[in-house]
Amino acid sequence: MPEMPEVETVRRTLIPLVKGKTIKKVTLWYPKIVATDHQQFIDELPGKKILDIDRYAKYLLIRLSDNLTIVSHLRMEGKYHLTTPDAPNDKHDHVQFEFTDGTALRYNDVRKFGRMQLILTGTERQTTGIGKLGYEPNSKEFTEAYFIAKLKRKHKNIKNTLLDQSIVAGLGNIYVDEVLWQSKIHPLSIASKIPEDKVKELHTKINHEISIAIKMRGTTVHTYLDANGNAGGFQKMLQVYGHVGEACPNCGNKFEKIKVNGRGTTFCPHCQVNYQ
């Protein structure tokens, strides 16, 4: 699943492709991608201009004229690409936004898990899943004090705590494995039992990892591509994820892999302390 650095990269590559364009027509080849009223989506968007594209966590916020926003979640394999309205359809193209300049933006999704919602701008937290999310890494709200206080109230393992998005938003499986290894915290550690100094270290590692991943244009492990069809570069810097059975760079012991709430989790059994 594209995580925050990947979605941010999609946002940055989409803006120069579509900002300022006016929608002429919307086609839904697979209407279920749109979680709000399908006919309203088709009827209301023609004539609207794309003003900008924002992001919160893993959600794209396509800002339109007349105070409307398309909230887009890519889920597992959603992608956008610019083409022309008469270009041959890929079998996984599900939504097309045709523009008045003769170009078209298509949404492609092999698994059809992605979703779009048409909402009034500014109602994201009231009408979409964004309302359940915690703060983003590197935001002014994501302070050490906030992180410490939140973890003290969580009595489940730290891997699930970081993945559930309610404390810190935008982290997925890959980056959680990396930051826990960097902080030497076992993924099954109980969040509330982790010492404060280790929580501070984890906070620092989360901010740093996400910053670097964004600079490297995200991580391509399976199918992620940006809006220009380019892969990310951060996969070359992964030290834990995808390295099960290899030697830990810190201690030389072999990385092991377990399932945590159904998610494959790679860690070092020697370096990473299990706080219980």
Side-chain angles (χ1 to χ4, degrees):
M1 177 183 292
E3 301 177 23
M4 190 177 120
E6 290 76 61
V7 180
E8 174 62 15
T9 302
V10 171
R11 185 190 76 84
R12 293 182 182 186
T13 52
L14 262 181
I15 287 175
L17 297 180
V18 301
K19 185 175 179 178
K21 295 191 176 187
T22 299
I23 299 171
K24 178 180 179 182
K25 179 183 178 182
V26 176
T27 303
L28 301 181
W29 291 302
Y30 184 72
K32 288 185 179 179
I33 294 292
V34 177
T36 46
D37 186 86
H38 301 159
Q39 197 59 48
Q40 180 191 28
F41 198 85
I42 292 170
D43 291 343
E44 287 205 24
L45 290 181
K48 302 299 186 288
K49 185 176 181 179
I50 297 181
L51 304 179
D52 208 349
I53 303 177
D54 295 329
R55 179 197 51 75
Y56 194 85
K58 304 177 188 180
Y59 290 82
L60 289 171
L61 305 171
I62 303 172
R63 306 298 192 186
L64 306 174
S65 55
D66 294 335
N67 205 38
L68 291 176
T69 291
I70 299 170
V71 180
S72 173
H73 198 308
L74 304 177
R75 298 285 176 90
M76 295 292 287
E77 298 195 39
K79 301 178 184 69
Y80 284 100
H81 63 100
L82 195 68
T83 182
T84 56
D86 57 352
N89 280 26
D90 181 274
K91 66 179 180 179
H92 301 301
D93 285 340
H94 303 311
V95 180
Q96 176 172 277
F97 302 93
E98 182 180 344
F99 300 116
T100 55
D101 71 347
T103 62
L105 182 68
R106 287 186 183 172
Y107 176 76
N108 182 288
D109 194 333
V110 172
R111 300 197 187 192
K112 300 180 179 177
F113 288 166
R115 290 294 180 267
M116 298 180 194
Q117 293 173 264
L118 181 61
I119 66 166
L120 288 173
T121 299
T123 66
E124 296 84 33
R125 287 197 170 271
Q126 291 74 45
T127 57
T128 75
I130 292 175
K132 299 178 181 178
L133 301 181
Y135 297 131
E136 289 188 338
N138 295 301
S139 66
K140 63 180 182 180
E141 297 88 357
F142 185 59
T143 63
E144 278 188 356
Y146 162 84
F147 195 45
I148 291 167
K150 287 291 187 179
L151 289 193
K152 281 182 179 178
R153 293 196 288 269
K154 287 286 187 177
H155 304 298
K156 61 182 181 180
N157 70 65
I158 188 62
K159 176 73 184 269
N160 283 342
T161 298
L162 294 179
L163 286 179
D164 77 8
Q165 309 298 302
S166 66
I167 293 177
V168 52
L171 291 177
N173 204 43
I174 294 173
Y175 297 113
V176 170
D177 279 5
E178 294 291 314
V179 298
L180 289 177
W181 173 74
Q182 292 169 13
S183 306
K184 298 184 178 179
I185 299 171
H186 194 287
L188 294 179
S189 296
I190 301 302
S192 60
K193 301 292 185 181
I194 300 172
E196 191 169 302
D197 63 324
K198 298 303 291 183
V199 174
K200 290 180 179 179
E201 183 178 356
L202 179 59
H203 179 270
T204 299
K205 299 298 185 184
I206 289 170
N207 283 337
H208 182 262
E209 185 81 353
I210 293 300
S211 293
I212 298 299
I214 289 173
K215 288 179 182 177
M216 296 296 293
R217 302 173 63 82
T219 301
T220 298
V221 174
H222 299 295
T223 60
Y224 158 72
L225 300 173
D226 66 21
N228 292 318
N230 298 319
F234 194 70
Q235 63 274 9
K236 300 170 186 176
M237 300 178 69
L238 296 177
Q239 295 179 286
V240 183
Y241 185 91
H243 293 282
V244 61
E246 298 178 20
C248 169
N250 286 338
C251 69
N253 285 273
K254 289 185 177 180
F255 285 125
E256 295 182 4
K257 190 173 183 178
I258 57 174
K259 289 279 188 179
V260 180
N261 199 29
R263 305 299 300 274
T265 301
T266 305
F267 70 102
C268 176
H270 178 75
C271 285
Q272 292 175 249
V273 179
N274 194 347
Y275 299 99
Q276 296 292 324

